[in-house]
Structure formats: C-alpha cells, structure tokens
Amino acid sequence: MTERKHEDTAPHEDQRSHELKQKDRDRGPAHRQGQTHYYTNPFSFALELGFFAGFIWGGLHWLFYLLHFTIVPVGFLAEPFFKHQYIYTAAGHLTGWLFFIVFSVLASLLYTFTIRKLKGPLPGMVYGVVWWVILFILVGPKMGMMKPLNGLTWDSIITELCFFLLWGLFIGYTVAMEFTDERKREPEQAGLSRKKASQSGNACVKIADGYLQRGWSSGETNYCDQWPEPEHAGCT
C-alpha cells in the first residue's frame, strides 16, 4: 500500500517541479522571492540627480549670497543672457537658480556617462574643483559672469571654491554609490546565475527544515530559493 501511495504521488511531484521551473523562467531575474532587479538607467538617474543638485545647491548659493558670504549672485550663469541689473533682482535670482539647475543636469549627465565607474568621494570633489576653475578662471571673467579673482573678496573665493567642491561631491559620490556598490548587484547576479543554471541543469524539489526548497543544480553549484510551504511534503 505504501508503494502504491508513493507511485500515486510521483506524477504530482513531477508536475509540481515542472510548474515551478517554468514559473521561475517566466519571472526571470527581475523578481525573486522579495529580491528586486537593481538595474539603473544612467540617463534618467543623471537627470534626476542633476535636478536635485541644482535645486538644493542653487538654493544654498542664494542663501550664501544673502548672508554676504560671497558677492557672486546665484544668477551668475545667466549674466551673458540678461542685463546686469536684472541679475541682482529677485526675478533675476530665480532665473539664475533655474540656470544653475540646468547646468547641474548637464554636469551630472557628463559625469554619469564618462566617469561613473570611479569609486569614492574624491573624484566628485575633483570634478567640482575643475568646474570652479573653468567658471571662475577660464570662462566666467571673459563672459562677464563675475569679476576676475583679483577683483573678488577672499571670502567670495573661498566660499565659491568650497561650494563647488561640495556640489561636485554631491554629484560624484551619489553616482559612485549607485553604480559601483557591488552589494546592490548581488541579487541581480544571483538571479542571472539561477536562470543560466535552470536552462542547463536539473530541477529539484525537496523539503528541508519545514521549507519547500526548489532550484537547479549545474555542476557542483546549487541555486535554490526557499519559502514556507509545509503542506507540500513531496520531493524528487
């Protein structure tokens, strides 16, 4: 009688194994038992990061100007496109803030698509200093955005240098954490490995410590997921 019962349950177990294998193939590596696919679109990520970098740090620059830490207004980037007097009005400050947001988006896109694989905070800090050199030494004075360095106060020079250093750190380190943190990539890599194994290995379903365990074996490596299903007691 026991042998007959075992023979009756065998087809059910084989069917269950086939269903689990097919279901996992359909799901792919994107969603696996509470895990998510951590792929990040670089373009949309850079757009969002650049907007917030410009919004937050543009607002801080405006605050620094109001507190007289610097004599360079937040609208210095808009200076070539508007009259000088307009830049120092409230509307001019808002316009300059928008210009800084656009500038931050472009800078974020440039960083993301060129050096996003660099790790740590240092690349972002150097990136910010490079932009400070471009704007305050090479391009800005020639285009009338601000006075040459010898025409600025020391407070303004130090404030602007620290400002761009931290602005670059905000962009660079955020990008580095998103695209070089391997701990976020482990679920995705594990999912891809299981999919590859499922295409070439053998299916297995078994009970282990009250949990239904399923997965595929390929060579000496087993890829398995576990979840509570004590009512299924069959194994193959």
Side-chain angles (χ1 to χ4, degrees):
M1 184 173 182
T2 304
E3 295 178 356
R4 183 175 181 180
K5 182 178 180 181
H6 178 72
E7 292 176 356
D8 293 339
T9 57
H12 173 73
E13 294 164 4
D14 293 339
Q15 182 179 2
R16 175 65 176 174
S17 174
H18 177 73
E19 290 176 355
L20 291 175
K21 185 176 180 180
Q22 186 62 39
K23 184 177 180 180
D24 194 77
R25 283 182 177 178
D26 295 338
R27 288 191 307 171
H31 300 283
R32 294 185 181 277
Q33 199 59 30
Q35 297 174 350
T36 56
H37 192 213
Y38 285 97
Y39 173 76
T40 300
N41 186 296
F43 182 76
S44 59
F45 177 82
L47 286 179
E48 184 177 2
L49 174 61
F51 171 79
F52 284 105
F55 182 80
I56 295 172
W57 291 96
L60 288 175
H61 193 285
W62 193 355
L63 179 63
F64 293 158
Y65 175 79
L66 294 176
L67 296 177
H68 304 290
F69 286 112
T70 178
I71 62 174
V72 180
V74 67
F76 71 93
L77 290 172
E79 184 79 38
F81 307 98
F82 296 91
K83 293 182 177 180
H84 181 72
Q85 294 81 2
Y86 173 77
I87 297 299
Y88 290 87
T89 64
H93 289 312
L94 289 174
T95 302
W97 196 354
L98 292 176
F99 268 72
F100 190 77
I101 291 175
V102 173
F103 165 71
S104 297
V105 169
L106 296 177
S108 179
L109 285 169
L110 179 63
Y111 190 99
T112 301
F113 282 96
T114 55
I115 54 176
R116 67 173 180 264
K117 293 300 183 181
L118 297 182
K119 299 181 180 181
L122 186 59
M125 298 170 68
V126 174
Y127 187 70
V129 172
V130 168
W131 273 113
W132 178 84
V133 171
I134 293 174
L135 292 176
F136 282 80
I137 299 179
L138 301 179
V139 178
K142 296 179 180 179
M143 298 186 65
M145 294 182 182
M146 71 285 294
K147 296 178 181 179
L149 288 183
N150 56 11
L152 297 175
T153 63
W154 277 106
D155 289 343
S156 297
I157 294 174
I158 295 174
T159 298
E160 296 294 340
L161 178 60
C162 293
F163 171 82
F164 274 91
L165 186 147
L166 294 175
W167 168 82
L169 174 64
F170 180 85
I171 293 177
Y173 199 47
T174 303
V175 172
M177 290 296 294
E178 182 66 27
F179 291 99
T180 65
D181 188 358
E182 295 302 324
R183 290 174 298 178
K184 290 184 177 181
R185 305 294 164 187
E186 289 176 359
E188 175 186 354
Q189 293 172 354
L192 293 174
S193 299
R194 282 195 295 265
K195 182 178 180 181
K196 183 178 180 180
S198 68
Q199 296 173 349
S200 60
N202 300 318
C204 64
V205 179
K206 62 181 180 179
I207 290 294
D209 299 330
Y211 285 80
L212 179 65
Q213 185 181 56
R214 65 172 172 78
W216 294 267
S217 61
S218 176
E220 298 180 355
T221 306
N222 294 321
Y223 305 92
C224 294
D225 292 331
Q226 291 185 349
W227 69 96
E229 286 196 30
E231 67 273 13
H232 297 286
C235 61
T236 61

